[in-house]
Amino acid sequence: MDKKKIIKLAKKDFEGAWAMTPQTLKKPHHDEEYPRLTLKTGKTHMLYDTVAQLRQAYLNLGFSEAVNPVFIEEDHIYKQFGPEAPAVLDRCFYLAGLPRPDIGIGMDKIEKIEKIGVNLKGEKLNNLKNVFRGYKKGDISGDDLVLEVSKALEVSDDVGLRVIEKFFPEIRELKPIASKTTLRSHMTSGWFITLQNIHNKRPLPIKLFSIDRCFRREQREDASHLMTYHSASCVVVGDEVSLDLGKVISENLLEHFGFEQFKFAPDEKKSKYYVADTQTEVYGYHPKLNEWVEVATFGLYSPIALAKYGIEKDVLNIGVGVERIAMLLYNQLDIREMVYPETYGKWKLSDREIASMLRINYYPATGEGKQLMDDITNVFKENGDVTSPCEFTAFEGNFLGKNILVKAIEPEKGTKLLGPAAWNKIYINKGDIIGVPLKDIEDEKAIQAMEKGISTGISYMDGISAYAAYKIEEMVVSGKDKVTVRVPISRSVSDINLRLDDVALNYITSKNKAIDVRGPVFCTITCVVKE
């Protein structure tokens, strides 16, 4: 069934349209079914490659991995940041949820429900009321509401959904209500909660790291800001922890990525959860970058904030922005393009990738057919310049159990067996697909394609010979007694039996690139079954 029809139907009858979605599925090709279907190795994302390297670097330094809370209650921000908390909360996302309403079932609703053929006699009405009570109390989740309503009414799911949609608009019209719970904006918020629970349960020093997402309500997302980012953070808890340890750990951690020299400078931000004047910026020199760049921040947690969690020990914290490191290592200029290349990245296909997407379309399936394809190509190679009218035998003999005669012919007088473009080779250059003649090249694009482009190794005749052999196989199998293949002029890749993947075609079209495989081919191949 046409997907567009189902999408249109869904606007009127969602459940009915959804029930019809299996009709949109297509039966896969035999070779694409289990167990013949196989998977290929995929590609990693540079951001998570960086996460993996940071993770290993921390492990190498003797840190154990931890997972910190993501949902942070507002009062924790006040404990940790003190007077600075309102400014910090301005950049936090608050979680909101839909309330569970009181859902009444009056006589008007009962009459309307019964009008669509749903009987509410007996226990069904009480069962429906019990479902809504259970939903209000949280005993029934929103995911299960349609199922439970359908069970209570003893109807199918699509009817249950229709009842909810049409007669209980209070569910559809619910508005989210904000809570006091925030999404973690700093890994520090999670560390305080984690350390509160373990600081006196493990031998000192406690060395932990966590690499995970944080969320900030930025005014906008741009080349250097995202609303979610990864923090590679660690803590060291001990009776006496010095700021010098932060320098040593930062150096050892970042040397893993090729940084060779380091500078340490006071951070102007002066976050209140750190001891005054201990917040330090780390700058590293990377020989590939040939410049100094900020790569980390560290400091000692304030005893004022720690005391609110019952922690009387020293705590060193180091934070590294994963996206920051990844951008430096992979020479990325826009954080959006790096993290979300599918959404923000500039679409780029290399000439090599485009070449891999251009293939011969119809191709002989049998060994005899592939040999015949070569025989056809060879007869044209040997006699292509012969003046017409002329004909040459490409193959005569047994083929798939039939005695056939295959000829290359040109009946028209005063031309040649083949047109001048028949042996053009196809190149890819800067996204253009160009048919390049073997000699007497005058077009500048063709010259550049041959000198700097990628050769596909395919000539016009390669595609035509493959098609002819394929059609002769088809003729023999279908019981026909003759077939003629003629290609006068090539105007597109399909004229010479080539197929360009839709991805490559979309790319070439969107980038205003060219597909130029024009040219006179004038190739005729005949085949007859002999008695």
Side-chain angles (χ1 to χ4, degrees), residues 10 14 27 34 37 105 144 154 172 210 280 294 451 464:
F14 177 85
K27 181 175 175 59
Y34 179 84
L37 182 64
I105 308 177
D144 296 329
E154 298 179 12
R172 185 176 65 252
S210 185
T280 305
E294 182 189 350
E451 292 178 351
I464 296 167

Side-chain angles (χ1 to χ4, degrees), residues 241-470:
V241 180
S242 72
L243 207 58
D244 286 340
L245 182 59
K247 297 179 180 179
V248 174
I249 294 173
S250 299
E251 281 191 357
N252 281 267
L253 183 69
L254 295 166
E255 282 174 352
H256 185 86
F257 296 94
F259 290 95
E260 295 181 348
Q261 301 176 57
F262 299 91
K263 291 180 181 178
F264 305 97
D267 192 335
E268 295 179 357
K269 295 177 187 174
K270 303 186 184 304
S271 299
K272 298 301 183 287
Y273 56 80
Y274 281 132
V275 172
D277 299 327
T278 66
Q279 188 167 342
T280 305
E281 291 181 334
V282 182
Y283 292 84
Y285 178 83
H286 200 294
K288 283 188 178 180
L289 304 173
N290 197 30
E291 62 177 328
W292 290 89
V293 291
E294 182 189 350
V295 286
T297 302
F298 66 85
L300 292 167
Y301 282 156
S302 166
I304 299 172
L306 289 170
K308 294 175 182 177
Y309 290 87
I311 302 171
E312 298 179 354
K313 300 173 178 66
D314 292 346
V315 180
L316 170 73
N317 168 241
I318 300 173
V320 178
V322 179
E323 283 80 0
R324 172 68 170 159
I325 296 294
M327 288 183 74
L328 295 172
L329 295 179
Y330 294 96
N331 196 28
Q332 299 293 302
L333 300 177
D334 191 315
I335 191 171
R336 297 165 300 182
E337 292 182 13
M338 181 191 74
V339 177
Y340 307 115
E342 295 82 5
T343 304
Y344 292 99
K346 295 178 178 65
W347 190 16
K348 180 73 172 74
L349 289 180
S350 68
D351 290 344
R352 176 68 179 81
E353 288 173 316
I354 295 174
S356 72
M357 297 182 191
L358 182 65
R359 305 177 180 91
I360 292 176
N361 192 10
Y362 295 101
Y363 200 82
T366 66
E368 291 179 61
K370 293 169 186 174
Q371 181 58 54
L372 178 59
M373 175 180 68
D374 290 340
D375 293 339
I376 293 170
T377 300
N378 289 334
V379 76
F380 280 107
K381 275 185 180 178
E382 294 169 4
N383 304 287
D385 290 331
V386 174
T387 303
S388 60
C390 59
E391 63 177 50
F392 298 91
T393 298
F395 177 84
E396 184 175 10
N398 185 280
F399 180 83
L400 301 180
K402 295 284 187 178
N403 189 23
I404 66 170
L405 174 63
V406 180
K407 289 185 177 182
I409 68 169
E410 178 50 64
E412 187 176 331
K413 189 176 180 179
T415 62
K416 294 183 179 181
L417 179 64
L418 268 183
W423 298 110
N424 284 12
K425 288 275 188 180
I426 298 177
Y427 286 78
I428 318 294
N429 185 43
K430 296 180 179 179
D432 294 327
I433 299 179
I434 308 292
V436 179
L438 290 183
K439 56 184 179 180
D440 302 327
I441 307 173
E442 298 178 356
D443 182 73
E444 183 60 31
K445 265 196 170 184
I447 294 171
Q448 290 294 317
M450 187 178 67
E451 292 178 351
K452 299 180 180 179
I454 297 285
S455 172
T456 64
I458 301 173
S459 70
Y460 295 6
M461 273 309 302
D462 289 334
I464 296 167
S465 297
Y467 182 66
Y470 170 86

Side-chain angles (χ1 to χ4, degrees), residues 77-98:
I77 307 301
Y78 281 97
K79 284 182 182 180
Q80 296 161 17
F81 290 85
E84 193 180 15
V88 173
L89 288 167
D90 179 66
R91 297 182 66 186
C92 288
F93 286 101
Y94 279 83
L95 296 181
L98 295 176

Side-chain angles (χ1 to χ4, degrees), residues 45-61:
H45 192 295
M46 64 181 75
L47 176 62
Y48 290 104
D49 286 343
T50 308
V51 167
Q53 291 183 66
L54 278 162
R55 187 169 180 267
Q56 191 58 53
Y58 272 125
L59 291 170
N60 291 346
L61 293 175

Side-chain angles (χ1 to χ4, degrees), residues 93-148:
F93 286 101
Y94 279 83
L95 296 181
L98 295 176
R100 296 293 178 91
D102 287 313
I103 301 173
I105 308 177
M107 287 304 300
D108 58 330
K109 286 186 178 179
I110 293 173
E111 290 175 2
K112 290 177 181 178
I113 293 171
E114 289 187 330
K115 279 184 179 179
I116 67 169
V118 178
N119 187 347
L120 287 176
K121 301 293 191 253
E123 290 297 312
K124 291 183 181 179
L125 181 57
N126 285 332
N127 291 342
L128 184 60
K129 289 179 179 179
N130 289 335
V131 168
F132 287 136
R133 287 193 197 99
Y135 175 64
K136 168 69 177 175
K137 291 162 60 178
D139 296 334
I140 295 174
S141 71
D143 290 344
D144 296 329
L145 186 59
V146 173
L147 176 63
E148 295 300 327

Side-chain angles (χ1 to χ4, degrees), residues 19 53 64 69 71 162 170 194 241 274 397 456:
Q53 291 183 66
S64 296
F71 303 121
R162 195 174 299 124
E170 55 265 59
T194 297
V241 180
Y274 281 132
T456 64

